[in-house]
Amino acid sequence: MILLIHALVVSCSSSNDEGTVAAQEGHEIVEPSDGEGTEMENPVVFDTSDLENLPMDNGGSHVAHLKGSTIAAYGYYVYTPSDYSIDGPEYPLILFLHGWGARGDSRSDPSELERVLAAGPPHLIDTNNWNPSYPCIVVSPQLTVDYWNVDQVHLFIGYLINTYKINTKRIYLTGLSLGGGGTWFYVGNKGKESYAAAIVPICGSGYPTLLENLSSTPVWAFHGASDPVVAAFTENGSVPMVAAINELNPIVKAKVTIYPGVGHDSWTRTYNGTGMGTASATYDAFEMSIYDWMFQYKKE
């Protein structure tokens, strides 16, 4: 029988989830029970010890690294939990890709890096509202150009792996608008070579040629139904992208959540969770935090 793991949402603390998952194609997949049980070829016990044994996060450090101050292609903010140590345990990584308005060059003006704090996980951290169920590292790079280059993003994640104590089985990508597109395109181009265990693109534009690779990674997309910048229902929007992924019978069914009457800013309510219970009943419900959803999945 395959049991759903229910994540307990508390402030950066461990939970005592138990469950059974199927390990297929590089992912451990949590599936809900249908009441009758589901037969799997190689069922394994879901091992959450790599999360449960992490120290409680009592408020960590959010540090700015200006462009040019490291060998990385980007300037970036990095959040490390309170008990993080280079000699300590490995942590999950959430990589946040910002939108168009947060671009800047902190090499020429250090204050420009602060633009990435305007939205998403770095904003929640900066305003003391960051409380996922498990402690994790959060990295928010800043673009100086017009788009997220998938090869540079891939190299940047490699840099992070070499620099911080990261659990490489638990690397997650999310982004908004331009960064939502960067999230789609990173996995869509890199496929199984990508580091991502799961992705959450928000109001971003995809592309049909990305679909086959996207079917190998769990996807949960979010969009406002009235978005005037990136339309949710056009060919490259979240709704047709997710429908097309699911036609390929992915390992994990892709999800899309739509907010009726909401424009381009569908990210605030998604990242802080206030959009729960407000989404369209026609599409996937928003009934658990995106962070708990991501933590369900890890690479083998």
Side-chain angles (χ1 to χ4, degrees):
M1 180 178 290
I2 307 303
L3 303 177
L4 174 65
I5 294 181
H6 296 279
L8 176 64
V9 182
V10 293
S11 178
C12 298
S13 63
S14 300
S15 61
N16 295 315
D17 303 323
E18 294 182 336
T20 306
V21 300
Q24 301 177 22
E25 303 256 338
H27 293 282
E28 291 189 353
I29 304 161
V30 183
E31 297 288 355
S33 170
D34 59 8
E36 298 177 354
T38 304
E39 294 298 320
M40 303 297 295
E41 291 182 2
N42 296 300
V44 296
V45 174
F46 184 73
D47 179 12
T48 58
S49 61
D50 58 340
L51 298 177
E52 292 171 352
N53 293 335
L54 292 173
M56 181 180 294
D57 184 3
N58 295 310
S61 300
H62 205 196
V63 178
H65 292 274
L66 303 180
K67 184 174 173 62
S69 66
T70 73
I71 62 172
Y74 307 111
Y76 64 95
Y77 271 91
V78 57
Y79 175 82
T80 51
S82 55
D83 281 0
Y84 173 85
S85 167
I86 199 64
D87 299 319
E90 296 177 336
Y91 287 83
L93 168 67
I94 295 177
L95 183 69
F96 168 71
L97 304 183
H98 65 70
W100 182 265
R103 294 170 305 130
D105 188 348
S106 60
R107 188 199 300 267
S108 59
D109 183 353
S111 68
E112 291 198 358
L113 187 58
E114 296 177 7
R115 293 179 181 178
V116 304
L117 302 177
H123 177 73
L124 295 175
I125 293 166
D126 191 54
T127 56
N128 296 315
N129 290 301
W130 181 241
N131 61 346
S133 296
Y134 296 105
C136 58
I137 296 170
V138 180
V139 175
S140 309
Q142 184 181 43
L143 271 180
T144 59
V145 294
D146 291 346
Y147 68 97
W148 292 101
N149 179 285
V150 296
D151 292 322
Q152 281 196 343
V153 170
H154 194 68
L155 289 172
F156 181 63
I157 298 173
Y159 158 80
L160 297 175
I161 291 169
N162 289 330
T163 305
Y164 301 96
K165 294 286 286 188
I166 291 170
N167 182 343
T168 57
K169 296 180 179 181
R170 294 189 175 277
I171 295 175
Y172 309 101
L173 265 70
T174 183
L176 63 90
S177 192
L178 180 67
T183 302
W184 282 119
F185 273 80
Y186 172 68
V187 172
N189 277 280
K190 292 296 181 181
K192 294 179 182 178
E193 293 182 5
S194 86
Y195 291 107
I199 63 171
V200 178
I202 302 175
C203 62
S205 179
Y207 204 72
T209 58
L210 308 175
L211 295 170
E212 184 173 353
N213 282 339
L214 286 165
S215 68
S216 67
T217 300
V219 175
W220 190 1
F222 289 78
H223 225 117
S226 301
D227 192 330
V229 179
V230 180
F233 304 100
T234 58
E235 181 183 22
N236 300 333
S238 296
V239 171
M241 284 291 293
V242 166
I245 291 170
N246 286 333
E247 287 179 2
L248 299 177
N249 296 314
I251 305 161
V252 177
K253 184 180 179 182
K255 300 172 62 176
V256 61
T257 295
I258 299 296
Y259 300 112
V262 171
H264 195 44
D265 182 3
S266 53
W267 57 80
T268 298
R269 68 199 70 211
T270 302
Y271 285 123
N272 67 18
T274 58
M276 290 188 191
T278 69
S280 168
T282 304
Y283 300 96
D284 292 290
F286 186 16
E287 55 191 7
M288 70 184 302
S289 85
I290 60 170
Y291 314 108
D292 287 338
W293 178 82
M294 288 190 285
F295 289 145
Q296 290 180 115
Y297 305 105
K298 68 178 183 179
K299 294 265 194 177
E300 279 189 327

